[in-house]
């Protein structure tokens, strides 16, 4: 079984985004916009971010008093096609969600594609959210509300720690988690 990020070897340089808090923040945004029936597309189960992003979604729902309907939580594989297939399932429900949170931008793009194919207007009929703020998020239509990871700061911290290690300086301060920003674009709106 693959280890989660929390179980990684403490001798490794560990720098990563705070996926749980970021997912909590983006879910809170959607809930505060008035959405109460929210779909969530998970990533690959063996990927450490998957469980953390799901936990953030669940915590936000609990704290906002929104029940989690398990038929709205579906699996994906962090790719466009799995996002499209997950959206097909969610849009086919007797009571589809008014918002869908995908665990990355590629799957969110698949949701947008499937919505367009079904003539479901985004964001009038369904809000769509991604994660990672990839270049794709700004280039699709409508531009995607998403989570921006501080990639440059994360890389700098990892390289700085690596250089210290190579130079014989002890780096034993454990994993470094970086806060993420929610980037609001045109793929979401209030109910």
């Amino acid at each position: 079984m693959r280890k989660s990020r929390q179980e990684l070897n403490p001798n490794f340089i560990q720098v990563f985004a705070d996926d749980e808090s970021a997912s909590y923040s983006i879910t809170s945004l959607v809930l505060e916009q008035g959405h109460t029936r929210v779909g969530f597309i998970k990533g690959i189960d063996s990927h450490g971010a998957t469980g953390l992003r799901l936990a953030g979604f669940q915590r936000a729902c609990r704290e906002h008093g929104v029940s989690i309907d398990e038929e709205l939580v579906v699996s994906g594989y962090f790719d466009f096609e799995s996002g499209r297939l997950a959206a097909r399932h969610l849009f086919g429900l007797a009571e589809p969600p008014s918002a869908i949170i995908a665990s990355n931008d590629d799957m969110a793009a698949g949701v947008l594609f499937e919505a367009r194919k079904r003539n479901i207007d985004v964001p009038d009929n369904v809000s769509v959210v991604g994660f990672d703020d990839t270049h794709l998020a700004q280039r699709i239509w409508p531009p995607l509300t998403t989570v921006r990871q501080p990639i440059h700061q994360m890389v700098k911290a990892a390289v700085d720690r690596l250089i210290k290690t190579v130079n014989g300086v002890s780096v034993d301060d454990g994993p470094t988690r970086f806060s993420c920003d929610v980037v609001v674009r045109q793929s979401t709106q209030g109910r």
Side-chain angles (χ1 to χ4, degrees):
M1 178 178 217
R2 185 173 172 175
K3 294 181 178 184
S4 74
R5 284 195 273 207
Q6 288 78 15
E7 301 171 46
L8 288 176
N9 184 327
N11 297 320
F12 291 167
I13 294 172
Q14 299 178 56
V15 175
F16 47 84
D18 190 344
D19 288 305
E20 195 274 342
S21 290
S23 182
Y24 172 86
S25 295
I26 197 91
T27 303
S28 293
L29 169 79
V30 168
L31 298 174
E32 289 163 8
Q33 289 180 333
H35 297 277
T36 56
R37 189 153 171 81
V38 180
F40 186 84
I41 305 173
K42 303 185 302 178
I44 301 166
D45 285 336
S46 62
H47 193 285
T50 296
L52 294 169
R53 292 176 187 181
L54 178 60
F57 166 77
Q58 293 168 330
R59 180 167 66 95
C61 288
R62 279 192 309 274
E63 290 183 13
H64 286 82
V66 173
S67 62
I68 299 169
D69 184 340
E70 289 304 319
E71 77 175 346
L72 295 177
V73 178
V74 295
S75 294
Y77 298 98
F78 290 125
D79 64 11
F80 176 89
E81 186 63 18
S82 67
R84 194 179 69 73
L85 293 173
R88 181 186 297 169
H89 165 77
L90 293 168
F91 292 143
L93 295 173
E95 188 182 350
S98 66
I100 298 174
I101 299 170
S103 289
N104 79 345
D105 293 341
D106 287 344
M107 291 191 299
V111 173
L112 292 176
F113 180 88
E114 191 65 25
R116 176 76 174 185
K117 184 176 170 185
R118 293 169 177 257
N119 293 315
I120 298 171
D121 188 79
V122 176
D124 289 340
N125 301 122
V126 65
S127 287
V128 179
V129 170
F131 207 107
D132 296 330
D133 197 28
T134 61
H135 293 293
L136 175 68
Q138 298 176 54
R139 290 173 171 82
I140 56 178
W141 187 259
L144 194 60
T145 295
T146 188
V147 170
R148 177 179 296 145
Q149 297 184 38
I151 300 298
H152 296 294
Q153 294 93 323
M154 291 166 60
V155 169
K156 182 181 180 331
V159 169
D160 288 348
R161 291 172 104 183
L162 179 60
I163 290 169
K164 287 178 183 176
T165 301
V166 168
N167 290 327
V169 177
S170 177
V171 181
D172 60 356
D173 52 351
T176 302
R177 289 179 180 81
F178 284 82
S179 297
C180 300
D181 296 316
V182 171
V183 180
V184 179
R185 295 193 181 101
Q186 290 90 344
S187 68
T188 54
Q189 73 178 23
R191 296 304 283 168

